Amino acid sequence: MTFQEQILEGIPSILPLPKPYEPQINHAPKRKEILSADEKKLAIRNALRYFDNKDHAVLAKEFSDELNTYGRIYMYRLRPDYEMKARPLADYPGKSEQAKAIMLMIQNNLDYAVAQHPHELITYGGNGAVFSNWAQYRLTMKYLAEMTDEQTLVMYSGHPMGLFPSHKEAPRVVVTNGMMIPNYSKPDDWEKFNALGVTQYGQMTAGSYMYIGPQGIVHGTTITVMNAGRKIAKNGEDLSGKLFVTSGLGGMSGAQPKAGKIAGVITVCAEVNPKAVHTRHSQGWVDEVITDLDALVTRVKSAKANKETVSIAYQGNVVEVWEKFDSENLYIDLGSDQTSLHNPWAGGYYPVGVSFDEAVAMMAEQPELFKQKVQESLRRHASAVNKHTAKGTYFFDYGNAFLLECSRAGADIFAANGIDFKYPSYVQDILGPMCFDYGFGPFRWVCTSCNPEDLAKTDAIALSVLEEMAKTAPSEIKQQMEDNIRWIKGAQQNKLVVGSQARILYADADGRTKIAEAFNQAIAKGEIGYVVLGRDHHDVSGTDSPYRETSNIYDGSRFTADMAIHNVIGDSFRGATWVSIHNGGGVGWGEVINGGFGMVLDGSEAASKRLKSMLFWDVNNGISRRSWARNDEAIFAIKRAMEHEPLLKVTLPNLVDDGLLENL
């Protein structure tokens, strides 16, 4: 069968032969036993819903074995035989070009070069899934190939509920992931209901088909590291010779060494999974791999002495690195952590003193002991960080729930008031006041031609727009403009593409709109193929996350989720091609609500109208909320937006004299 025929086949009428388990692939760890005997039967019954009754007998036994062996029913037998990768739009069957673009994005999320656990349909973060099983993938691709521009595909946590009549201006796909009743949103609830096959963890951009490989976070990490360096720099010194220590080389965290290289520091990034280390080294995202602590110390001392810019992966536990550098009195300038601590009990964080293979077995077979070991490790981790910060290290929480889980483990990470953490979130200190409050966030695009020449042309278009805007930019956002111009100039030489021909840069509403309109005009002239616009959910408006995206909201509303919900509703009727809303993300199930979108530019007047309406709302929704929280930078930004758009009328806060409240 051709590729197109396989897509249109959906779930085969004749079952394909079972697929052998491929040990060389980076697989998800076995999930812990959480279902009762009756619940296991329910999980199998749920899985069999996708198949004709004639196949139930053979599949029931097979799915039972998968559930007992892996803790989930992935339906490995249904993995397609074709190569999983983004293809040019013309290669996809279908009646809707918008739907073809969504198929491209789905396949890119599952590309072996992009996905963390491709056979388990997990893109990044240890549990960030595009689908829960391969039947869902096959059925979704078939629906997309059949749909017209007057239908909408409804996705319930990976399950394609079906095609419904709508209209051309409606989203082609509406995605929800993990939208639980609030009292059922604890970590074990995810384990249980995911094992039952009725919900999934979409992370931020995995379940919304907008992940573009680690490039998506390279830019944000570069901005973060550069600005963290500016906070510690003296007399305008650069970052050469400065040491940045962190951990995690998985889907998103793998961006850290590349970002450190671009920012000009020495990066030491620890990772316990040998396959993740090999992947990032083979892709050129990390320069060197070291497995011995003494050799690591020697290499870092040499790099410091010579003021090198180099990225080093230490294959081992990061706790050992922090402790070794302390005993060797090796000064760390910048420190953070980007392990998947939103998922601490299922492979997001590995305890020190236990081998990787032993830990994988322990989390499945002895989950309570594994939890105990992780919390012991977190206490040691925090203690070692504290020793370095006492020497002057600037440490920031990278929004991965590191401080939150340390606090739950009883580690010494609280400030003197016993309420706040002693270390800031990077959003509190850097991205919130410097970027999000001004409306700058991770705007991204994908060239659906899959042609590197198209990507180069879009880079040039974006650079031209930014340079023109920088000429008249207010002083308040000059630095942001300059950083993005520097970024896009170096995008090609830094070889950031993994998977689809995609790019990201931080832009405000004005920048996003002007760049998108320039793309649309280039498409209309036949200079480039269609372009998919999107963003990370980690943005100005998309996410309500009290320990990350909205951690610099101080009016008491950071635990509310009105902004994210309004964001996705507003995007859906202002022209998004698809929209998504998730429970969970980088900081954990039950800790965040986040929404995203995708928009296909086809060079038409209709696309021009949609992009102007939707992108303006998508950013200014968040700026207005941040302004109402009395954030000075956001008040400036929303006033500027109202000056440019007479139809925008936002309620502004009246500021209160602090002295008025002191004696009450």
Side-chain angles (χ1 to χ4, degrees):
M1 296 175 70
T2 66
F3 168 71
Q4 293 195 353
E5 287 171 340
Q6 290 182 73
I7 293 293
L8 289 167
E9 179 186 38
I11 298 174
S13 57
I14 300 175
L15 287 179
L17 294 174
K19 293 284 194 302
Y21 186 85
E22 299 180 22
Q24 72 275 18
I25 297 295
N26 190 12
H27 288 282
K30 180 184 177 183
R31 307 304 184 184
K32 71 178 182 181
E33 291 279 342
I34 198 165
L35 299 182
S36 67
D38 284 343
E39 287 170 337
K40 286 185 177 181
K41 291 179 181 178
L42 178 58
I44 296 166
R45 186 186 297 274
N46 288 343
L48 291 173
R49 286 184 287 190
Y50 290 101
F51 301 92
D52 191 280
N53 291 43
K54 67 181 174 60
D55 297 318
H56 283 188
V58 64
L59 290 177
K61 175 64 168 63
E62 189 170 306
F63 292 166
S64 177
D65 290 343
E66 284 192 14
L67 190 59
N68 290 326
T69 304
Y70 309 111
R72 296 292 186 272
I73 299 172
Y74 296 115
M75 307 182 187
Y76 288 124
R77 179 195 287 260
L78 292 186
R79 279 197 298 107
D81 294 322
Y82 51 75
E83 183 180 1
M84 190 63 68
K85 66 176 183 179
R87 294 164 167 79
L89 284 194
D91 288 4
Y92 292 96
K95 305 170 185 176
S96 165
E97 296 300 296
Q98 293 182 347
K100 291 180 183 180
I102 298 169
M103 285 192 274
L104 180 158
M105 298 298 291
I106 287 172
Q107 291 202 305
N108 184 66
N109 270 28
L110 295 171
D111 186 324
Y112 283 23
V114 174
Q116 184 181 15
H117 305 307
H119 285 191
E120 290 75 39
L121 302 113
I122 291 171
T123 301
Y124 68 94
N127 57 358
V130 188
F131 302 98
S132 294
N133 59 60
W134 286 103
Q136 292 177 347
Y137 166 83
R138 284 177 173 264
L139 189 53
T140 298
M141 296 293 280
K142 177 179 172 64
Y143 276 140
L144 289 168
E146 293 174 343
M147 78 184 306
T148 73
D149 284 339
E150 294 190 345
Q151 290 173 298
T152 293
L153 176 59
V154 176
M155 298 295 300
Y156 277 33
S157 289
H159 169 66
M161 188 60 69
L163 293 172
F164 290 80
S166 57
H167 55 85
K168 290 182 178 180
E169 296 306 311
R172 297 282 68 80
V173 180
V174 176
V175 178
T176 58
N177 279 299
M179 300 308 293
M180 305 298 294
I181 302 301
N183 280 349
Y184 300 89
S185 206
K186 298 180 291 297
D188 271 358
D189 291 325
W190 172 73
E191 294 281 2
K192 176 179 178 179
F193 292 108
N194 187 230
L196 286 173
V198 295
T199 194
Q200 72 174 16
Y201 196 101
Q203 258 289 350
M204 303 192 84
T205 52
S208 55
Y209 326 140
M210 191 47 70
Y211 190 66
I212 59 170
Q215 178 188 179
I217 196 175
V218 169
H219 186 31
T221 307
T222 301
I223 288 175
T224 300
V225 174
M226 286 195 313
N227 284 300
R230 287 167 182 154
K231 293 177 77 70
I232 64 170
K234 299 173 182 176
N235 302 319
E237 64 181 347
D238 62 23
L239 298 183
S240 59
K242 303 290 186 187
L243 174 60
F244 173 43
V245 172
T246 185
S247 57
L249 284 173
M252 291 187 72
S253 55
Q256 293 179 108
K258 174 68 80 173
K261 191 78 178 285
I262 296 170
V265 298
I266 303 162
T267 303
V268 172
C269 190
E271 170 60 58
V272 296
N273 186 343
K275 289 181 180 177
V277 173
H278 171 74
T279 296
R280 294 302 170 222
H281 187 241
S282 66
Q283 290 175 338
W285 290 67
V286 62
D287 297 327
E288 303 173 16
V289 176
I290 295 177
T291 58
D292 178 78
L293 280 172
D294 290 325
L296 179 65
V297 169
T298 300
R299 180 68 184 95
V300 171
K301 285 181 177 178
S302 172
K304 273 181 163 282
N306 296 315
K307 292 195 171 183
E308 294 181 55
T309 297
V310 62
S311 58
I312 303 166
Y314 171 67
Q315 188 174 306
N317 198 290
V318 71
V319 177
E320 297 171 330
V321 176
W322 283 99
E323 292 176 343
K324 181 70 171 179
F325 284 11
D326 175 56
S327 65
E328 295 285 339
N329 205 28
L330 188 54
Y331 185 71
I332 299 172
D333 298 274
L334 301 172
S336 193
D337 181 88
Q338 211 174 88
T339 52
S340 297
L341 268 162
H342 68 277
N343 183 32
W345 323 126
Y349 184 93
Y350 287 80
V352 65
V354 181
S355 75
F356 177 69
D357 290 338
E358 289 172 336
V360 169
M362 187 189 298
M363 78 174 73
E365 298 165 8
Q366 299 173 287
E368 288 306 313
L369 178 61
F370 182 77
K371 181 176 181 178
Q372 176 186 326
K373 293 290 185 183
V374 165
Q375 292 193 319
E376 289 173 1
S377 188
L378 285 169
R379 290 192 290 272
R380 275 179 62 178
H381 197 157
S383 176
V385 168
N386 290 342
K387 291 176 181 178
H388 283 276
T389 57
K391 301 174 186 177
T393 297
Y394 173 60
F395 183 88
F396 54 92
D397 183 287
Y398 214 148
N400 63 330
F402 173 74
L403 293 179
L404 182 63
E405 288 302 330
C406 281
S407 71
R408 291 169 175 169
D412 176 18
I413 48 77
F414 283 105
N417 63 13
I419 299 172
D420 299 319
F421 296 137
K422 65 170 66 177
Y423 304 116
S425 156
Y426 75 116
V427 174
Q428 286 177 292
D429 246 21
I430 299 168
L431 283 190
M434 297 185 68
C435 294
F436 293 168
D437 285 354
Y438 284 118
F440 283 83
F443 178 58
R444 57 178 60 170
W445 64 89
V446 178
C447 298
T448 66
S449 65
C450 298
N451 187 345
E453 292 181 5
D454 273 13
L455 183 60
K457 290 175 183 177
T458 59
D459 285 344
I461 291 170
L463 175 60
S464 176
V465 170
L466 291 176
E467 287 182 329
E468 186 63 29
M469 291 179 65
K471 294 176 183 177
T472 57
S475 60
E476 288 86 350
I477 59 173
K478 280 282 189 185
Q479 184 69 66
Q480 290 87 331
M481 298 294 293
E482 291 170 6
D483 285 348
N484 279 292
I485 289 170
R486 171 183 167 183
W487 164 265
I488 201 69
K489 281 183 175 179
Q492 293 281 333
Q493 67 195 50
N494 285 317
K495 299 179 180 178
L496 297 163
V497 171
V498 177
S500 60
Q501 295 296 314
R503 187 68 72 224
I504 183 173
L505 60 79
Y506 269 46
D508 61 5
D510 195 24
R512 299 182 206 203
T513 302
K514 288 180 177 176
I515 292 170
E517 178 61 18
F519 289 167
N520 202 50
Q521 291 176 7
I523 296 166
K525 296 174 184 176
E527 296 171 357
I528 57 175
Y530 289 7
V531 171
V532 172
L533 302 182
R535 58 162 170 75
D536 194 345
H537 297 199
H538 174 60
D539 196 7
V540 180
S541 301
T543 296
D544 281 298
S545 177
Y547 296 106
R548 194 162 78 177
E549 283 77 8
T550 45
S551 61
N552 70 319
I553 300 292
Y554 301 111
D555 68 349
S557 70
R558 66 188 178 121
F559 292 94
T560 66
D562 299 85
M563 179 178 73
I565 298 298
H566 270 286
N567 183 260
V568 74
I569 293 171
D571 284 357
S572 67
F573 67 75
R574 286 180 172 88
T577 306
W578 72 97
V579 292
S580 59
I581 189 78
H582 302 174
N583 166 23
V587 296
W589 185 260
E591 302 286 357
V592 53
I593 298 293
N594 60 85
F597 76 88
M599 173 178 277
V600 178
L601 300 183
D602 60 8
S604 66
E605 284 295 323
S608 176
K609 181 179 178 181
R610 287 195 293 266
L611 74 87
K612 290 170 185 173
S613 175
M614 201 219 73
L615 292 176
F616 184 86
W617 156 259
D618 190 67
V619 176
N620 283 293
N621 166 47
I623 297 177
S624 63
R625 185 267 179 96
R626 293 168 184 277
S627 165
W628 187 239
R630 296 183 290 269
N631 292 11
D632 291 339
E633 298 85 358
I635 293 173
F636 163 83
I638 203 66
K639 284 181 176 178
R640 183 165 174 254
M642 285 191 283
E643 290 173 2
H644 291 172
E645 174 50 75
L647 294 178
L648 178 65
K649 305 289 183 183
V650 171
T651 308
L652 295 174
N654 293 298
L655 304 183
V656 179
D657 184 344
D658 290 342
L660 181 67
L661 306 177
E662 287 181 359
N663 297 320
L664 295 180

